[in-house]
Structure formats: structure tokens, C-alpha cells
């Protein structure tokens, strides 16, 4: 029986949960006293979407007081027998909820809406909500419904059903099959109180106080504790994002391989930047693995060491020069050639027409020498202002960093931002017409994107042509949790054009000199199994050397708990036929205190 104070509360309608709570729709459709599982239904779209509902009952399980999506979750403590229908729903208030607390039994009247995080153009799934709510507190201090356990046994191995062709590939109208598909299982728990136990971290804590865990400890596991993404058909069903309903200061600084021991529990949400997300009111205790940053071996005297390293928008205002220098000297062991991606101009994001990067490079070279490394030299080509994408005003570009005590750079004048480099035959050997020079800089393939930088080096009397790349980003692709299955990867179109241009340029070199040593490397922004990589490789023109590693070791980047390949080093047949070694040096992507979001890659070979 409710207490006297509860009886008073029962008569109080919290009509001012937010400023919009008293607004009603003109001639709304109306549904009397429906239950939460009726609202959620057995598909992704509520059968009551757009309708006004009255006196929906539930227990408050969590309250969100921050961000743009403020409100609270309620759950029916008396579930139906259908596993496809969720018993929880989010009540959107817009402003900080007032007058409700976790454990309150409430009735809610309002309008059922389907909110798409990121907007309809994102392709994301929608979140069922009750909006413009009028809330009545019936009693306080009730037990919160027990959290549903999410574990390896409850999440199916299949990721998602194929979308309905008649709905442009959307899965929204398909009946949920939570016993067969992982995304259907998560959707059937949308808004409900859920829990994971002793979950391994597969995505380090980010600046937004989020991390990723897996509920399937052995699913595509690598030796360092991550979850490898090795195929479009194997998207790792056990991944789940974790946020906190508490203060950011309470959130653990976790690295890949750590474990959240005990129970992590709270409502299951869906958001723009991670899909299904456990918003934890209870966080497990972090058990650190003491993950160490890797170091590669030093190259032998007769080996040429070539590396690629995305230094993430490096400019003179950054405080990461010493850390990057330490990584190059001690973790990469001072490679002979380093292709640097995302070197910004001398004043970074200041948009004043500056394109030179000599101050950025001078600071990095000084830092490397101070860290005990060689006195590197460098070559690059300044871009046209605001023509290469990236952070506005930053004018990012690729740069060749090289050790002049080990290799020499063949300078040939004439290379500039808009003049394309070509291939010539000099004394029977392939040579660049400009060195350094840019490949097809005015081509549509590289519009608003970084242009490939080609340079000619000599090591122990042998010429090696290196092509530094930073292909178009994956921005605009639909997420793995998209309502469209399989999700669209629209950003591939430009990368395919870029890959064709680099492949064709490499093929021209090899046509001029069959046994030429060519290395094409950089931030390819695509996977080793992707169509982009296949176009780059062509019919044996190049080969992605990351594929020389075991599948469990192929990754340079961690995104949404998936350890994946974005950075690659591709080699011509003469290099592949010889002795070479490849290493993906894990110093950033798995760590919460990363200085870049990419791990460098290194190739050692005897030209």
C-alpha cells in the first residue's frame, strides 16, 4: 500500500516536466491506457507513432540531466510474454526533468514519436520516445525492475537481417527476431534496464566519456584484447557502447584489454555516435591489463625501413611534438623514411591563407633530435589554400621525413600544388619528372582531398619510389547499426577513384621499369579487404603488406570497438618477392591517452 505522502503525490500531476509538456497537437490520434510493450511493438517503429497516449505506467529507471536529449526512462515491471517487445521507453522532456526520481511509479501521457539521432539523412535507426509529456507520480521508492542480462549466450551470432528491398533496404518494418539477429536482440531491449558483467574493454575511453566493451570475450579476439574487424560479413555482435549517467569524473580511463569487473547496468539507449548504448547508473570496477605500447625492432644495416604515421592535425600550437618524437625514435626505432599524414600549416586552423609548414616540420625535427634520433630532413609540396580538405584553415598534407645519413632524396624541380608528376625513363630506369611531385592534383578524384605525394629516394645505390597517400575519409557512410542493412558506404566512391589514380601511376612506373621498387603507403581510410584496396592492388601491381600478418594482428585503428585496418603499406612485386618484414606498431589506437588515433605501420626490406 502507498504511504500517506505517496497518496498526496498520486494527486499531483507533474505538468511542468518541461516547457513543452503542456503543448498538445491539433486533433491528435488518441490511445487510451496502452502499455509500454504496446507502444514499442514488435518492429523498430512504434505502431502508435504520431499518436497521443494516456496514462502509460512504469517505474523510473534512469534520468538524463545533460546534453540535448534530456528526460527519463520508464519500464513496466509486469512484462508481456513476447521477447520482441521492449518493456522500456524514454520520456523526452527537453529540459532537466523536475519532480521525478529513480524508483518513482508514474503514469505518462504524451505523444509517441520516432526520433532519429543524427537526422533522417544519417540512415540511423530511430528511438521510440514519449514527447510533450504530462507525468503523474503515483508512488516513490519502488524497486527498479531487474536488469536484463546481455551476454554471449543471449546475443545471436548473426548481426542483422537483410533490409526490405521495397523500403530501400530498411529493416524498420521487419518483425524483430531477437533470437536470430544481434541488432534485433538489442532493439527488443531498447529503453529497458540492462546489464553486462565482467566485460572486456574493446574501445578505449574517449574524450566524451564513452568506451566500448564486448559481451563475447572470444569473438575475433586479438592478443592485446581487442576485437578485430576482418570482414563486412563479420561485424562483431558482442560490441556495446558504455556511457554514464553520473559525472564525467567518475568515468574510468580504460584501455583496450582492460575489464569492467562486476556489474555495469542501466537503460539501453540508441545514439548517433555509437548505436546501442548502455547508459550506466552502475559502473563496474576497472581492472587494468597494464597494456604497454609496442616497439618494433631496429632495421638491419642492409634493410630500408619505411613507415607511415598519421600525426593527427599536427601544427606548432600542439603540445604533442615531444611525444610524437619519442614514438618515432623509441617505438619505431627511427625509420629511414616516414610518410607523415596530417601535417598542418604553420598556424594550424587559423584561416588566413598560410599554407607553408616549415615551422611545423622544424619543431618536429628538433624534437626527434632531442629525443635521441637522427637529424631528419623533409620534403613536401604545399597545397592550394583550402583545397585539400581536413580541418578548415589547417591545409593538411603528407610529408616525407627521411634520415639523410641512410638515404638520399632525388630532387627534381617543377613539382607544385597543381602540376602533375609523370614518369620518365632515365638511363633505362623509371624516374619521376618532379620529385617531390603530386599525382593528378587537379583530378576530380582528389577534389577537396589530399593529393598523393611521390618522391624518389636512393638507398645503397638502389632507387625506391615512395607514394604517400591520405585518401578521403569515411564521413557520410551509414553506421553498422543503420536501419539500412547492409549499410551504404557512399564515401567509397571517391576512394575508388583515388585508388585507381595511384594504381595507374604505379603501373606506369612498372611498365617503364618492370623491377622498380615502389612503396605506396599512408592513411588509406579503408580496410585491407575493401574494394578500395583491391583497386589499388590491381592485377599484381601492388600488394598490401599488412596481409602478411596473421588476421588477428591486422589493425591500425579502433572504431566503435572494432580493431581495423585503415593505414596500409603496399609494395610492388620486386619488393614482395624479396625478404621483407611488416609491423603494425600499436602505440595509440588502444589507449585513452593517445596522441593520435592511428597506429603507425612499418615495412623493412632489402631493395
Amino acid at each position: 500500500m502507498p504511504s500517506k505522502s505517496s497518496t498526496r503525490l498520486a494527486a499531483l500531476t507533474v505538468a511542468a516536466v518541461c516547457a513543452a509538456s503542456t503543448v498538445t497537437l491539433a486533433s491528435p490520434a488518441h490511445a487510451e491506457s496502452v502499455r509500454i510493450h504496446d507502444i514499442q511493438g514488435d518492429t523498430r517503429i512504434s505502431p502508435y507513432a504520431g499518436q497521443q497516449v494516456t496514462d502509460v505506467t512504469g517505474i523510473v529507471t534512469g534520468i538524463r540531466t545533460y546534453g540535448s536529449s534530456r528526460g527519463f526512462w520508464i519500464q513496466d515491471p509486469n512484462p508481456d510474454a513476447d521477447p520482441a517487445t521492449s518493456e522500456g521507453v524514454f520520456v523526452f522532456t527537453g529540459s532537466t526533468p523536475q519532480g521525478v526520481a529513480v524508483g518513482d511509479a508514474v503514469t505518462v501521457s504524451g505523444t509517441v514519436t520516432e526520433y532519429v539521432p543524427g537526422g533522417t539523412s544519417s540512415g540511423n535507426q530511430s528511438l521510440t520516445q514519449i514527447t510533450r509529456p504530462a507525468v503523474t507520480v503515483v508512488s516513490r521508492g519502488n524497486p527498479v525492475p531487474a536488469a536484463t542480462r546481455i551476454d554471449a549466450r543471449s546475443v545471436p551470432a548473426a548481426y542483422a537481417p537483410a533490409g526490405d528491398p521495397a523500403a530501400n533496404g530498411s529493416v524498420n518494418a521487419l518483425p524483430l527476431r531477437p533470437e536470430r539477429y544481434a541488432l534485433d536482440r538489442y532493439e527488443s531491449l531498447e529503453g529497458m534496464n540492462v546489464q553486462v558483467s565482467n566485460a572486456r574493454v574493446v574501445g578505449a575511453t574517449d574524450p566524451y566519456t564513452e568506451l566500448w566493451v564486448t559481451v563475447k570475450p572470444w569473438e575475433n579476439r586479438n592478443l592485446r584484447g581487442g576485437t578485430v574487424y576482418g570482414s563486412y560479413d563479420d561485424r562483431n555482435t558482442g560490441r556495446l557502447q558504455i556511457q554514464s549517467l553520473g559525472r564525467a569524473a567518475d568515468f574510468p580511463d580504460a584501455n583496450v584489454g582492460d575489464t569492467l569487473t562486476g556489474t555495469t547496468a542501466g537503460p539501453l539507449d540508441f545514439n548517433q555516435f555509437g548505436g546501442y548504448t548502455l547508459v550506466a547508473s552502475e559502473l563496474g570496477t576497472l581492472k587494468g591489463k597494464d597494456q604497454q605500447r609496442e616497439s618494433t625492432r631496429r632495421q638491419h644495416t642492409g634493410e630500408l625501413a619505411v613507415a607511415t604515421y598519421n600525426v593527427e592535425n599536427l601544427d606548432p600550437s600542439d603540445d604533442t611534438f615531444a611525444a610524437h618524437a619519442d614514438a618515432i625514435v623509441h617505438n619505431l626505432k627511427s625509420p629511414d623514411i616516414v610518410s607523415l599524414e596530417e601535417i598542418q600549416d604553420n598556424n594550424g586552423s587559423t584561416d588566413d591563407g598560410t599554407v607553408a609548414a616549415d615551422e611545423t616540420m622544424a619543431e618536429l625535427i628538433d624534437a626527434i633530435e632531442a629525443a635521441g634520433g637522427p637529424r631528419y630532413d623533409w620534403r613536401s609540396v604545399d597545397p592550394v589554400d583550402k583545397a585539400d580538405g581536413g580541418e578548415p584553415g589547417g591545409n593538411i598534407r603528407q610529408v616525407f621525413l627521411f634520415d639523410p645519413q641512410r638515404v638520399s632524396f632525388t630532387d627534381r624541380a617543377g613539382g607544385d600544388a597543381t602540376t602533375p608528376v609523370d614518369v620518365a625513363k632515365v638511363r633505362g630506369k623509371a624516374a619521376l619528372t618532379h620529385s617531390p611531385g603530386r599525382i593528378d592534383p587537379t583530378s576530380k578524384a582528389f577534389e577537396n582531398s589530399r593529393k598523393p605525394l611521390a618522391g624518389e629516394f636512393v638507398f645503397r645505390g638502389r632507387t625506391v619510389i615512395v607514394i604517400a597517400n591520405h585518401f578521403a575519409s569515411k564521413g557520410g557512410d551509414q553506421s553498422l547499426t543503420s536501419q539500412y542493412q547492409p549499410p551504404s558506404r557512399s564515401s567509397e566512391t571517391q576512394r575508388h577513384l583515388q585508388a585507381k589514380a595511384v594504381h595507374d601511376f604505379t603501373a606506369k612506373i612498372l611498365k617503364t621499369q618492370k623491377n622498380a621498387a615502389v612503396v605506396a603507403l599512408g592513411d588509406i581510410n579503408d580496410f585491407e579487404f575493401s574494394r578500395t584496396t583491391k583497386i589499388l592492388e590491381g592485377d599484381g601491381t601492388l600488394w598490401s603488406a599488412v596481409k602478411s600478418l596473421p588476421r588477428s594482428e591486422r589493425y591500425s585503428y579502433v572504431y566503435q570497438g572494432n580493431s581495423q585496418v585503415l593505414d596500409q603499406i603496399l609494395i610492388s612485386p620486386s619488393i614482395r618477392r624479396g625478404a621483407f618484414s611488416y609491423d603494425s606498431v600499436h602505440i595509440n589506437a588502444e589507449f585513452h591517452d593517445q596522441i593520435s588515433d592511428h597506429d603507425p605501420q612499418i615495412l623493412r626490406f632489402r631493395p
Side-chain angles (χ1 to χ4, degrees):
M1 293 292 291
S3 65
K4 290 182 179 179
S5 60
S6 297
T7 302
R8 288 183 63 191
L9 286 168
L12 172 64
T13 298
V14 188
V17 171
C18 72
S21 61
T22 57
V23 176
T24 57
L25 297 176
S27 303
H30 199 76
E32 295 285 351
S33 301
V34 298
R35 303 276 291 277
I36 292 174
H37 50 251
D38 298 321
I39 292 172
Q40 288 284 9
D42 63 357
T43 70
R44 285 172 168 78
I45 301 298
S46 170
Y48 290 92
Q51 297 186 38
Q52 191 169 7
V53 291
T54 302
D55 296 336
V56 180
T57 61
I59 305 293
V60 177
T61 59
I63 300 174
R64 182 153 55 202
T65 60
Y66 59 89
S68 60
S69 185
R70 303 187 187 194
F72 58 94
W73 289 268
I74 60 174
Q75 183 168 333
D76 193 329
N78 300 304
D80 66 4
D82 188 350
T85 57
S86 171
E87 300 295 340
V89 71
F90 186 67
V91 180
F92 175 72
T93 60
S95 58
T96 300
Q98 303 293 327
V100 292
V102 172
D104 285 354
V106 298
T107 61
V108 179
S109 299
T111 303
V112 177
T113 61
E114 291 290 339
Y115 167 65
V116 181
T120 54
S121 63
S122 69
N124 285 330
Q125 295 189 49
S126 61
L127 180 70
T128 303
Q129 301 182 145
I130 300 176
T131 61
R132 298 185 174 94
V135 182
T136 300
V137 177
V138 177
S139 64
R140 294 201 188 275
N142 300 281
V144 172
T148 299
R149 186 180 179 90
I150 299 177
D151 57 19
R153 298 184 67 177
S154 65
V155 179
Y159 191 76
D164 181 0
N168 297 316
S170 174
V171 297
N172 275 348
L174 300 180
L176 295 176
R177 302 176 68 182
E179 78 291 345
R180 181 164 182 179
Y181 299 110
L183 288 194
D184 286 11
R185 171 62 174 163
Y186 293 129
E187 176 65 19
S188 73
L189 300 174
E190 179 194 272
M192 289 179 61
N193 193 26
V194 300
Q195 73 171 53
V196 297
S197 300
N198 299 322
R200 193 178 74 249
V201 176
V202 292
T205 302
D206 64 22
Y208 309 101
T209 59
E210 301 165 336
L211 59 81
W212 287 76
V213 299
T214 182
V215 299
K216 296 187 173 182
W218 300 108
E219 187 178 42
N220 295 321
R221 179 174 182 166
N222 63 47
L223 294 177
R224 293 171 62 84
T227 300
V228 174
Y229 181 57
S231 163
Y232 292 129
D233 298 322
D234 193 356
R235 292 180 268 180
N236 293 313
T237 60
R239 295 174 301 111
L240 190 65
Q241 188 179 58
I242 306 292
Q243 292 178 341
S244 176
L245 272 178
R247 297 168 301 180
D250 298 329
F251 204 78
D253 289 330
N255 298 324
V256 171
D258 293 347
T259 302
L260 280 182
T261 63
T263 297
T264 297
L268 188 65
D269 194 26
F270 187 95
N271 71 49
Q272 174 182 357
F273 302 107
Y276 294 102
T277 300
L278 194 164
V279 186
S281 54
E282 177 185 359
L283 268 170
T285 301
L286 184 68
K287 181 180 179 182
K289 184 188 177 186
D290 192 27
Q291 190 81 280
Q292 298 296 307
R293 288 173 163 84
E294 287 187 338
S295 293
T296 195
R297 70 167 175 84
R298 188 174 299 277
Q299 66 269 32
H300 301 310
T301 301
E303 287 182 314
L304 179 66
V306 184
T308 175
Y309 186 20
N310 184 320
V311 290
E312 197 173 5
N313 291 327
L314 189 65
D315 71 71
S317 69
D318 290 328
D319 60 2
T320 56
F321 282 92
H324 283 305
D326 184 74
I328 290 170
V329 174
H330 297 111
N331 298 94
L332 294 182
K333 305 299 184 186
S334 301
D336 302 311
I337 303 169
V338 185
S339 167
L340 297 169
E341 296 88 49
E342 295 198 16
I343 291 290
Q344 291 198 334
D345 63 35
N346 290 336
N347 58 17
S349 60
T350 300
D351 189 2
D352 63 357
T354 299
V355 294
D358 54 308
E359 295 175 19
T360 308
M361 291 308 302
E363 190 164 348
L364 179 59
I365 288 169
D366 288 346
I368 291 171
E369 189 173 29
R375 183 71 186 179
Y376 279 101
D377 201 350
W378 66 284
R379 295 291 188 276
S380 188
V381 173
D382 291 338
V384 173
D385 186 35
K386 293 187 284 291
D388 281 21
E391 186 178 26
N395 290 311
I396 59 174
R397 82 292 308 273
Q398 299 88 266
V399 171
F400 290 127
L401 191 69
F402 64 95
D403 180 359
Q405 299 301 313
R406 292 267 299 164
V407 296
S408 61
F409 190 87
T410 303
D411 288 292
R412 292 198 181 90
D416 58 30
T418 58
T419 301
V421 64
D422 205 347
V423 181
K425 181 177 282 191
V426 178
R427 294 186 291 276
K429 304 290 185 182
L432 300 178
T433 56
H434 314 304
S435 179
R438 304 177 102 195
I439 296 173
D440 282 352
T442 60
S443 166
K444 182 180 179 181
F446 300 105
E447 185 176 348
N448 198 35
S449 183
R450 284 70 55 181
K451 284 66 174 172
L453 179 71
E456 193 173 317
F457 296 84
V458 176
F459 176 72
R460 298 170 71 88
R462 177 74 191 272
T463 294
V464 178
I465 295 175
V466 182
I467 303 170
N469 302 279
H470 186 183
F471 283 5
S473 80
K474 287 183 168 292
D477 286 1
Q478 293 170 353
S479 72
L480 296 184
T481 53
S482 170
Q483 65 163 290
Y484 301 102
Q485 294 294 330
S488 169
R489 302 185 296 270
S490 59
S491 70
E492 285 183 340
T493 301
Q494 186 171 17
R495 286 195 301 281
H496 290 173
L497 295 175
Q498 294 173 339
K500 181 69 163 52
V502 174
H503 167 270
D504 290 353
F505 187 81
T506 304
K508 194 171 187 178
I509 295 172
L510 297 180
K511 184 176 181 181
T512 304
Q513 180 189 342
K514 185 177 180 180
N515 68 340
V518 182
V519 177
L521 76 174
D523 181 358
I524 303 302
N525 262 321
D526 224 334
F527 315 119
E528 81 280 16
F529 54 81
S530 67
R531 177 64 180 157
T532 300
T533 299
K534 288 179 172 63
I535 293 171
L536 261 173
E537 292 178 321
D539 189 15
T541 301
L542 290 167
W543 183 70
S544 182
V546 73
K547 291 189 287 190
S548 66
L549 298 176
R551 290 182 182 275
S552 63
E553 296 178 26
R554 299 178 193 174
Y555 63 96
S556 67
Y557 193 84
V558 179
Y559 181 68
Q560 296 186 349
N562 273 329
S563 297
Q564 55 195 238
V565 168
L566 291 186
D567 308 83
Q568 300 189 51
I569 301 177
L570 296 98
I571 54 179
S572 61
S574 67
I575 299 174
R576 185 180 180 185
R577 285 193 297 266
F580 70 87
S581 68
Y582 189 97
D583 197 0
S584 182
V585 189
H586 305 303
I587 62 173
N588 287 318
E590 297 170 323
F591 297 90
H592 75 273
D593 55 347
Q594 58 189 224
I595 55 173
S596 167
D597 46 357
H598 292 254
D599 287 332
Q601 313 290 290
I602 189 165
L603 173 82
R604 292 171 291 260
F605 68 102
R606 297 177 182 272

